[in-house]
Amino acid sequence: MPLNCARCKAARAILKRPKTRDALCKECFFHCFENEIHNTIVEGNLFKPGDKVAIGASGGKDSTVLAYIMKLLNERHNYRLNLVLLSIDEGITGYRDDSLETVKQNQKDYALPLTILSYKDLYGWSMDDIVRQIGKKNNCTFCGVFRRQALDRGAIKLGCNLIVTGHNADDIAETILMNVLRGDIARLKRCTAIKTGSGDNPEENVVPRCKPFKYTYEKEIVMYAYFKKLHYFSTECIYAPNAYRGHVRSYLKDLESIRSSAILDIIHSGEVLAVDEGIKLPVLGACERCSYISSQRICKACVMLEGLSKGLPKLGIVKSSKVKMIKREAITDGKKCDEKCCSFTCKSETDNKTNCKS
Amino acid sequence: MSNHLNIIVEFKGGMELLFDNVTKKELSLPVNSGEDGSAPVEWTIKDLINHLKEKHLKERPELFVNDDSIRPGVLILVNDVDWEILGENEYKLADGDKVLFISTLHGG
Ligand SMILES: [Zn+2]
C-alpha cells in the first residue's frame, strides 16, 4: 500500500514524522529536516559571521549528523563559520578506540580539521585508570565532569569562540525531566537554554555552547543518517551506564508512543518554567585551585582529582558534610593544582549528558 | 503442501549487539498453505518480532521487546520504508522483503 508524500503529493512516502505525523518522501524529508535546523539557527541567533566553532564529535549518531549538517548549512546559507571537529578521548579501551576511528572518517569525509584531547593528557588519569581505582560505580559522573572541562579546554586551545553539541530534543526532554525529578532548579534553567554562556550571564561558561538540534527528534536524526548513508558508531559504553537516565529515557519513549508531541511538550514546559526571584540560585565564582568557574570554592573536577589521588573516590560524588570537611582540608593544604588542571575555569556537571557521550 | 517465505533481516545502530553482533540474517520462514496448521499461513511483523525474540535474540530481550511489541525507540524499516506508514505490527511480510531494525537507544 504505497502512500504518497504529504508535501509534494508525488513521490512515495518513506517516513512518518514524529513531530507532525506527516508521511514524507525522502527528498521532502531531507528538505524539512535541514530547513528546520536552519530556522532554529536563525531564530535562536546561534552564530555570527566569523565565529570559529568547535563541533563536539564523539563518532556517535548525533555528532556525526551534526558535523554533516553544520558543513552543509554553512555552505548553503553562507554562515561564514570556521568549523572544526573536537573529540575527547576518555581512554576507554575498546570503546573509544572504535568511535575515534569513526571521527577520523568524518574528518576525511567532511574535510574538517580534527583535534583529539585525552583525559590522560589533561588530568593524568584515563577512564580505564579511574575505573581501576574506583570500580565501575559512579564512573559516569567522573566522565561527565571531566568531559565538560575537556571540551572547554580544547575549544580554547583551538581558538574557538563557540562549541556546538549534538543534544537532540529527546536528550533535552530527558534532562529536563531528570532535573525536575531531582529538584535541580539551576540546571533545569540551563539545560533548557538553546545557548548557554552568552548574553545575560557571560560568566556562565568558559566557551559559549549551543544546541542546533534542540528541536530535532532522535528518530529523524537516525533516519537522516540512514538515508544519507552517514556512518556512525554505536555501542554502549563498556562501563556502567547511567541507570537513572536509562529509566527516564524509557519512560519518555513510552510517553512518546502514546502522545507523539510529549517531547516537544516537555521542552516547552521547561522553557516556560520560571524561577521565582525569591529563589536563591548558586552564584558562580572561580575555583580556588584551578580558577575554572564553579559554584563551590573548589570545582567538582578538582575535588574528584583530589579524591582519586588520595584514594577517596567518593569525593565530589556524594554531597555530605564529610566531603565539605575534606574540601576545607584541601584548601588549607595551600597546594596549587598542578599545571594540567590550572588556568581553566570549571563548573560542576551540567546539562551535558553524563552517560559517556560528548 | 508446505512452503517458505524468504526475507532478509538487518540490525543497525547497536541492535546487532543483542543478536551476537550479526548485522544481517537471511531467514526462511515456514508457511503453511492451510492443511495441517503446523506453520502460520502468513507472517506479520509482529510474528517476526516474536520469532526473532524466541529464536535469535542472544541477550537482554527487554532492549528489543516490551510486552510483546517492539521496544519504543527501536525503528523498523521494511524495504527502506518506515513501518509506521505500513501498518506497523499488522504489516504482512512478502517474499523478498528486507526488514531493518535500528536502535536509537544505544549511545551516540
Ligand atoms: Zn515529497
Side-chain angles (χ1 to χ4, degrees), chain A residues 119-151:
Chain A
Y119 281 8
K120 186 90 181 172
D121 291 340
L122 288 170
Y123 306 109
W125 293 78
S126 70
M127 277 309 291
D128 284 343
D129 295 337
I130 292 171
V131 169
R132 263 193 295 277
Q133 169 95 346
I134 69 166
K136 291 195 178 181
K137 225 181 154 192
N138 285 327
N139 63 71
C140 284
T141 311
F142 278 89
C143 203
V145 170
F146 286 176
R147 181 180 308 104
R148 181 163 189 97
Q149 266 203 24
L151 274 177

Side-chain angles (χ1 to χ4, degrees), chain A residues 297-345:
Chain A
R297 294 171 70 189
I298 296 200
C299 79
K300 204 162 182 173
C302 280
V303 173
M304 286 175 157
L305 284 169
E306 169 92 19
L308 282 171
S309 60
K310 283 193 173 170
L312 296 164
K314 287 222 163 114
L315 233 55
I317 294 170
V318 286
K319 274 184 198 161
S320 71
S321 49
K322 200 171 153 195
V323 169
K324 276 188 196 132
M325 239 171 60
I326 304 171
K327 275 204 247 175
R328 265 198 298 276
E329 212 177 278
I331 300 162
T332 49
D333 267 2
K335 258 192 293 178
K336 274 229 146 188
C337 238
D338 69 15
E339 234 164 78
K340 277 174 187 156
C341 84
C342 276
S343 69
F344 289 95
T345 44

Side-chain angles (χ1 to χ4, degrees), chain B residues 52-70:
Chain B
L52 289 171
K53 179 189 155 201
E54 300 299 332
K55 306 279 192 227
H56 300 273
L57 189 77
K58 296 289 186 237
E59 54 182 286
R60 291 173 295 167
E62 70 279 7
L63 290 182
F64 184 62
V65 288
N66 220 341
D67 302 328
D68 267 356
S69 192
I70 199 78

Side-chain angles (χ1 to χ4, degrees), chain A residues 1 3 13-16 21 23 58 60-61 218-219 222-223 226-227 232 234-236 249-250 253-254 357, chain B residues 12-14 17 60 66 71-73 75 77 80-82 84-86 98 100 102 104-108:
Chain A
M1 47 187 138
L3 190 66
I14 50 97
L15 159 131
K16 187 175 254 181
R21 310 307 289 163
S58 67
K61 57 181 169 15
E218 187 155 64
K219 172 182 174 178
V222 172
M223 288 292 208
Y226 176 70
F227 287 118
Y232 61 88
S234 50
T235 187
E236 293 157 296
R249 188 184 180 84
S250 317
K253 285 286 169 209
D254 290 344
K357 164 190 171 141
Chain B
K12 273 179 184 289
L17 299 173
R60 291 173 295 167
N66 220 341
R71 161 100 185 247
L75 309 179
L77 292 104
D80 280 354
V81 176
D82 187 354
E84 287 189 50
I85 49 183
L86 296 173
K98 185 189 88 171
L100 167 64
I102 312 180
T104 65
L105 301 162
H106 285 80

